[in-house]
């Protein structure tokens, strides 16, 4: 009897080491899984980040191709400088202003002011603040690219008549303060997020924001000398290099896979990576829809295809799908992009009739198509409401337009933002920079 009583105890004692080992193996497996999620998410941010960085080259080439040759170098300088300044402004104040966490100055409205800090060199698993997300460095790099893109939108709209240094001063204000504040309202957990506003990758938060800032700048800056006659005549000022502009469009199209795909913000599970691939497919077909719509519509309206409209049609398709690139099927994504292309074809001449001079079509592409894309979220996302979408569009638009306008007015009063008529005729490359993009073609 004693032996029978002792057998279960002996057996349990024998099993204890194996049970402990199994528990250790389970804990080890959980840790490995957490580490892989962290690694894959960080990798997504880094890959998405360098794709969106390449969009800076796309904006630069598009703008340099759509301005006249005497202003091409100025666009190149502006885009290199604006990205560099955005980098500094965003790490010094913008990133933590946009993602304040618990550090709101005004809860849901205004984040805190502090510099970005990365993890220590060689940080270990146990020292990570959030092992379920990604590294601070990768998150910062990814979000910086969106911030800089907002400034690039403004650059094209105000081209060919703005002074360099006032423009760069505005870039610092835009990327360091204005954009991060409004982006915090949605992506930083602010009041728009609480209200149910949905903008997956930034049709309004990035593109619409840049479009509103550009519109304020264009209205205060005025049109190019000779663009509009007193009789209502519009003088066409064709771009200098359409192959370069086309290359820029394709670079932007490529970068948009990172822009939208990276905004999934996760790549550590089967469902996440499948969703990323779905976003890629929808992003691509929306661009195609926008380009085809502009291609056909310009043929119908003008009896000839307009390449610049086709380029901007593709970009408008991309902007349109950015607010919700995951939920639609390929057919709906194509339709959403096509509507964006139609919007561009009708709104570019509309702005000319209103004597609003947007050199590259940035306002139709980023603002008008951005509004459409934000509203179109309700077509496929059952959690979105038209009321919340309109609320977000109005809040972002009012803030970006008014605050940008205030700073444009201040810069106009303090520094002056517009070059003289004589300098415009000569070209900003010579008058502002003293060098030309195509010196061998100059008249001497």
């Amino acid at each position: 009897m004693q032996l029978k009583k002792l057998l279960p105890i002996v057996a349990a004692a024998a099993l204890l080491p194996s049970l402990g080992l199994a528990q250790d193996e389970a804990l080890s497996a959980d840790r490995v899984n957490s580490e892989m999620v962290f690694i894959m998410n960080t990798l997504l941010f880094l890959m998405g980040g360098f794709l969106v960085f390449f969009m800076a080259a796309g904006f630069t080439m598009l703008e340099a191709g759509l301005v006249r040759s005497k202003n091409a170098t100025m666009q190149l300088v502006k885009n290199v400088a604006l990205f560099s300044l955005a980098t500094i402004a965003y790490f010094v104040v913008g990133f933590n202003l946009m993602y304040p966490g618990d550090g709101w100055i005004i809860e849901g409205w205004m984040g805190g002011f502090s510099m970005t800090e990365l993890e220590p060199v060689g940080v270990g698993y146990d020292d990570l603040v959030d092992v379920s997300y990604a590294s601070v460095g990768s998150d910062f790099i990814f979000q910086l690219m969106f911030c800089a893109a907002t400034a690039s939108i403004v650059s094209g709209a105000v081209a060919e008549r703005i002074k360099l240094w006032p423009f760069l001063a505005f870039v610092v204000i835009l990327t360091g303060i204005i954009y991060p504040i409004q982006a915090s309202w949605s992506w930083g957990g602010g009041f728009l997020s609480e209200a149910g506003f949905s903008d997956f990758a930034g049709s309004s938060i990035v593109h619409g924001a840049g479009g509103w800032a550009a519109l304020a700048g264009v209205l205060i800056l005025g049109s190019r000398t000779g663009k509009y006659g007193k009789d209502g005549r519009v003088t066409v000022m064709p771009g200098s290099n359409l192959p370069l502009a086309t290359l820029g469009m394709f670079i932007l199209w490529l970068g948009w896979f990172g822009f939208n795909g990276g905004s999934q913000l996760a790549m550590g599970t089967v469902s996440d990576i499948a969703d990323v691939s779905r976003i890629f497919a929808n992003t691509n077909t929306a661009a195609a829809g926008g380009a085809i719509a502009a291609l056909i519509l310009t043929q119908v309206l003008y009896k000839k295809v307009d390449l610049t409209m086709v380029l901007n049609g593709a970009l408008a398709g991309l902007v349109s799908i950015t607010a919700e690139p995951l939920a639609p099927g390929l057919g709906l994504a194509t339709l959403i992009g096509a509507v964006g292309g139609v919007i561009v074809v009708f709104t570019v001449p509309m702005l000319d009739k209103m004597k609003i001079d947007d050199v590259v079509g940035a306002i139709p592409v980023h603002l008008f198509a951005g509004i459409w894309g934000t509203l179109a979220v309700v077509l496929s996302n059952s959690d979105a409401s038209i009321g919340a979408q309109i609320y977000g569009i109005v809040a972002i638009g009012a803030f970006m337009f008014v605050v940008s306008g205030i700073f444009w007015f201040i810069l106009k009063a303090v520094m002056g933002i517009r070059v003289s008529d004589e300098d415009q005729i000569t070209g900003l490359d010579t008058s502002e920079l003293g060098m030309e993009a195509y010196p061998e073609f100059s008249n001497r």
Side-chain angles (χ1 to χ4, degrees):
M1 288 294 294
Q2 292 296 326
L3 183 60
K4 289 182 179 179
K5 291 180 179 180
L6 287 173
L7 282 175
I9 298 173
V10 173
L15 286 173
L16 279 175
S18 61
L19 288 173
L21 182 60
Q23 187 177 29
D24 290 342
E25 289 177 348
L27 290 173
S28 177
D30 288 341
R31 173 164 174 162
V32 169
N33 183 62
S34 296
E35 287 186 345
M36 287 307 301
V37 167
F38 183 87
I39 291 167
M40 297 305 292
N41 290 353
T42 296
L43 186 60
L44 175 67
F45 283 2
L46 294 175
M47 292 189 302
F50 68 65
L51 280 171
V52 184
F53 168 74
F54 201 35
M55 291 177 71
F59 278 116
T60 304
M61 296 300 97
L62 182 72
E63 293 172 22
L66 291 181
V67 300
R68 289 169 291 179
S69 58
K70 61 184 179 180
N71 298 309
T73 303
M74 175 61 87
Q75 292 308 111
L76 303 178
V77 170
K78 282 164 60 183
N79 276 277
V80 174
L82 77 82
F83 185 86
S84 303
L85 289 169
T87 296
I88 305 303
Y90 196 64
F91 102 73
V92 170
V93 64
F95 184 59
N96 285 332
L97 187 60
M98 183 169 163
Y99 294 103
D102 297 328
W104 294 94
I105 295 175
I106 303 174
E107 187 67 30
W109 289 82
M110 172 73 75
F113 291 86
S114 62
M115 292 180 65
T116 304
E117 293 185 6
L118 306 179
E119 292 100 348
V121 175
V123 64
Y125 175 86
D126 295 328
D127 297 320
L128 293 171
V129 176
D130 185 359
V131 297
S132 65
Y133 191 52
S135 70
V136 175
S138 67
D139 194 17
F140 167 77
I141 283 292
F142 185 63
Q143 298 300 334
L144 164 65
M145 303 308 160
F146 286 65
C147 180
T150 306
S152 294
I153 293 166
V154 180
S155 172
V158 301
E160 298 201 320
R161 74 275 200 198
I162 196 167
K163 294 180 179 179
L164 175 62
W165 289 105
F167 170 76
L168 296 181
F170 180 78
V171 166
V172 173
I173 298 164
L174 176 66
T175 57
I177 298 174
I178 305 175
Y179 167 80
I181 288 176
Q182 70 82 22
S184 73
W185 297 345
S186 303
W187 291 343
F191 76 94
L192 285 181
S193 176
E194 294 294 325
F197 176 65
S198 179
D199 190 353
F200 191 94
S203 285
S204 282
I205 297 170
V206 178
H207 297 282
W212 286 113
L215 179 60
V218 165
L219 292 175
I220 295 167
L221 182 64
S223 60
R224 288 168 288 177
T225 299
K227 177 66 176 178
Y228 303 117
K230 295 181 179 180
D231 58 356
R233 176 182 51 84
V234 178
T235 300
V236 178
M237 297 179 173
S240 60
N241 195 326
L242 292 183
L244 194 64
T246 304
L247 173 63
M249 184 279 295
F250 273 118
I251 293 173
L252 287 168
W253 192 330
L254 171 65
W256 232 287
F257 293 123
F259 200 100
N260 287 356
S263 294
Q264 175 68 12
L265 304 182
M267 197 172 68
T269 67
V270 170
S271 62
D272 281 329
I273 196 62
D275 283 350
V276 171
S277 67
R278 182 182 177 96
I279 290 167
F280 271 48
N282 282 337
T283 297
N284 186 69
T285 195
I292 292 169
L295 179 81
I296 295 172
L297 193 54
T298 53
Q299 177 68 50
V300 171
L301 293 177
Y302 309 127
K303 309 306 177 187
K304 292 182 180 179
V305 171
D306 185 326
L307 173 62
T308 61
M309 289 290 194
V310 176
L311 301 182
N312 277 333
L315 297 178
L318 289 161
V319 171
S320 299
I321 200 62
T322 294
E324 183 48 83
L326 173 60
L330 289 173
L332 180 57
T334 306
L335 178 61
I336 290 171
V339 173
V342 171
I343 288 171
V344 162
V345 173
F346 284 113
T347 56
V348 167
M350 180 190 77
L351 289 182
D352 275 336
K353 290 179 181 179
M354 299 169 67
K355 296 186 177 181
I356 297 175
D357 187 12
D358 176 358
V359 178
V360 303
I363 294 168
V365 168
H366 299 279
L367 176 53
F368 297 150
I371 290 173
W372 153 244
T374 307
L375 295 173
V377 171
V378 301
L379 298 177
S380 58
N381 187 339
S382 59
D383 294 330
S385 70
I386 192 67
Q389 297 305 100
I390 293 173
Y391 180 43
I393 291 168
V394 172
I396 293 169
F399 177 79
M400 291 301 303
F401 183 76
V402 172
V403 177
S404 296
I406 290 170
F407 281 106
W408 280 123
F409 271 122
I410 292 172
L411 290 168
K412 182 178 181 180
V414 174
M415 305 176 68
I417 59 176
R418 182 182 174 90
V419 302
S420 67
D421 291 351
E422 180 181 349
D423 285 347
Q424 287 187 57
I425 293 169
T426 302
L428 273 63
D429 288 3
T430 300
S431 63
E432 286 273 293
L433 303 174
M435 62 175 60
E436 301 169 78
Y438 310 104
E440 66 271 25
F441 297 113
S442 299
N443 294 321
R444 296 189 182 278

